[in-house]
Amino acid sequence: MAVAILVIMALGVALILSGKVPTAFALVLLSVGIALVAGAPLVGEEGSVLQTVLQDGSTRLASTMIAILIGSWLGSLMRDTAIASTLVRKTVEFAGDRPVVVALGVLVVSALVGTVTGSAPAALLAGVIGIPAMVAVGVPKVTAAGTILVGIGVGVPFELPVWQFFSSALDLSIAEVRSYMVFLFPFALVGALGFVLVEVRRRGTVHAWSLTSSTGRGSAPSRRERLGDAPWYSLLTPLVPIVLALGLTVPIIPSLLAGVLYAALTTTRPRDLATRLLRTLYDGFTVAAPPITLFVAIGMLLAAVNLPAAVDALTPVVEAVAPTNPWLYVLVFSLLVPLCLFRGPLNIFGLGAGVAGALTAVGTFSPLAVLGLMASYNQVLGVSDPTSTQTVWASQYAGTKPQQVMVRTLPYMWVVAVGGIATSAVLYL
């Protein structure tokens, strides 16, 4: 049975890598296949394909889906109220024409945006103004795109929907997830700073196209010019959920809702408040739909690999190959970092969720050790994966290729992942 489950997983990887079947659809097929091979009945109240895998599994990550929706709502509100664009523009104006300082400023803003929402929306919020501004002062295109991405990576350890995802997927408390993310953050920060300081200086300045032409000045007024700058106190919006969740241990969803209310109340007249909130909420649904669909499928996959028969079948295989020695744990899983790229088997938002679920269910590693692995891989995935939406958007907007951004950022992100994995070994093995 174990061999059959592994074969099905391999077929799932092939389907995802082929690009012919959407990842979410492939994960649903994979979930049903694993359940059937594990001997789960098609119907029944407990342990069946229809009830346990498809019905219960689809809602397993419901709290994560709500957190993603509210995070997308907050990101849409920051765009609609010009909070994001004001943050970037003020930072660039303060930095002047110094390439390293401009890049570091955009890095900070990208990190703040990354705590609110991930993927392409975060790249767009920080990059629409940030990338042209960097290129205008001579930062090379690949470095400009990479700066946006590594900046978002700095914010990911404090991205509240990510906390909720790992909490639900690995049956951990928010406090346990938060405690590890605090340890991971310094590695993400040092890796990002290293990228900016080394790459901007090493590559020199290249004046390719101007900020004037990219931001629309001299033609039709930009959205920012029509709206005006957001009030200075509204620029604290990204910090509101972080302070509540990290400093005051407020639950994830109320923290995000507080950020939404703060952004709306500090930028919008009372008579326009309801209209703006509804409009941005609808926009948030559009942004959140793809990841929510993916999390429905991931929940089904987690339910399938946690079926008792699947756990019993996989236990001897995992125990035979899993490196339990701390040194081997760090060495082996550090060498496997590239498997989280190109929708590979360690992509936590794909088959990697099933791998994480299997490792946790079998019990070879504690859920916290699995969290350390997958959160570390997520740092690489979110920055360097040339198939991820944020990498594709940032690269294309900067006028370069995702593969070039991957080559430039991967060495730094690999070091971040190794630091996270080593920390996990020290803390949890």
Side-chain angles (χ1 to χ4, degrees):
M1 185 187 298
V3 173
I5 291 175
L6 293 176
V7 169
I8 290 174
M9 285 186 166
L11 291 174
V13 173
L15 278 176
I16 294 170
L17 289 175
S18 71
K20 296 179 180 179
V21 179
T23 300
F25 294 173
L27 294 180
V28 173
L29 294 174
L30 187 60
S31 306
V32 173
I34 290 174
L36 292 174
V37 167
L42 185 62
V43 296
E45 289 299 320
E46 189 67 33
S48 67
V49 174
L50 295 184
Q51 180 64 43
T52 302
V53 176
L54 298 183
Q55 173 68 26
D56 298 342
S58 65
T59 58
R60 179 175 178 135
L61 301 176
S63 55
T64 303
M65 299 176 207
I66 299 300
I68 288 172
L69 173 60
I70 299 175
S72 300
W73 184 11
L74 180 53
S76 176
L77 192 57
M78 287 176 60
R79 182 181 69 250
D80 193 76
T81 58
I83 290 174
S85 60
T86 303
L87 268 172
V88 179
R89 195 174 60 80
K90 292 293 185 182
T91 301
V92 170
E93 289 175 354
F94 175 78
D97 59 356
R98 296 163 290 180
V100 172
V101 180
V102 170
L104 288 174
V106 174
L107 177 76
V108 171
V109 175
S110 300
L112 289 173
V113 171
T115 65
V116 172
T117 182
S119 194
L124 186 142
L125 285 173
V128 164
I129 295 176
I131 289 175
M134 286 186 284
V135 174
V137 296
V139 176
K141 295 178 180 179
V142 176
T143 305
T147 298
I148 295 292
L149 296 168
V150 297
I152 294 171
V154 173
V156 164
F158 295 138
E159 186 184 345
L160 302 190
V162 170
W163 289 11
Q164 189 65 68
F165 168 65
F166 282 121
S167 172
S168 301
L170 300 176
D171 292 324
L172 293 167
S173 68
I174 293 295
E176 289 174 315
V177 175
R178 179 175 59 236
S179 66
Y180 175 74
M181 292 302 190
V182 170
F183 284 109
L184 182 60
F185 170 72
F187 294 104
L189 178 60
V190 170
L193 290 174
F195 174 84
V196 171
L197 295 176
V198 172
E199 293 297 321
V200 172
R201 288 193 170 101
R202 183 162 68 96
R203 302 289 167 176
T205 56
V206 180
H207 294 278
W209 38 279
S210 70
L211 180 61
T212 301
S213 61
S214 349
T215 55
R217 293 179 184 174
S219 53
S222 69
R223 179 173 179 78
R224 190 221 27 104
E225 289 169 331
R226 295 196 305 271
L227 288 173
D229 287 340
W232 68 266
Y233 41 85
S234 71
L235 305 185
L236 300 175
T237 293
L239 297 177
V240 171
I242 300 174
V243 170
L244 291 175
L246 183 62
L248 303 178
T249 64
V250 175
I252 299 298
I253 291 174
S255 296
L256 289 168
L257 284 173
V260 169
L261 290 175
Y262 182 83
L265 292 173
T266 55
T267 57
T268 309
R269 291 175 294 185
R271 67 183 183 185
D272 298 326
L273 195 60
T275 301
R276 171 164 275 169
L277 284 172
L278 281 175
R279 183 176 65 247
T280 52
L281 176 58
Y282 295 153
D283 289 342
F285 269 106
T286 303
V287 171
I292 286 177
T293 302
L294 186 60
F295 283 119
V296 169
I298 289 174
M300 295 178 184
L301 180 58
L302 290 171
V305 298
N306 277 276
L307 290 170
V311 173
D312 292 341
L314 291 173
T315 296
V317 176
V318 174
E319 288 178 344
V321 300
T324 54
N325 177 280
W327 292 102
L328 282 177
Y329 171 93
V330 174
L331 176 62
V332 171
F333 287 115
S334 295
L335 292 175
L336 295 179
V337 162
L339 294 183
C340 72
L341 301 175
F342 294 100
R343 306 177 189 272
L346 293 180
N347 182 329
I348 187 60
F349 300 114
L351 188 59
V355 174
L359 289 174
T360 303
V362 168
T364 303
F365 299 118
S366 70
L368 283 168
V370 177
L371 166 67
L373 288 177
M374 294 306 168
S376 299
Y377 290 151
N378 188 39
Q379 291 297 127
V380 180
L381 167 68
V383 174
S384 300
D385 185 1
T387 65
S388 67
T389 53
Q390 65 265 32
T391 306
V392 171
W393 184 89
S395 303
Q396 292 179 343
Y397 190 71
T400 186
K401 296 180 180 178
Q403 292 82 0
Q404 291 176 297
V405 174
M406 179 192 71
V407 170
R408 199 71 60 77
T409 59
L410 184 56
Y412 300 90
M413 292 303 102
W414 205 325
V415 172
V416 172
V418 172
I421 293 169
T423 300
S424 176
V426 170
L427 294 174
Y428 308 127
L429 291 187

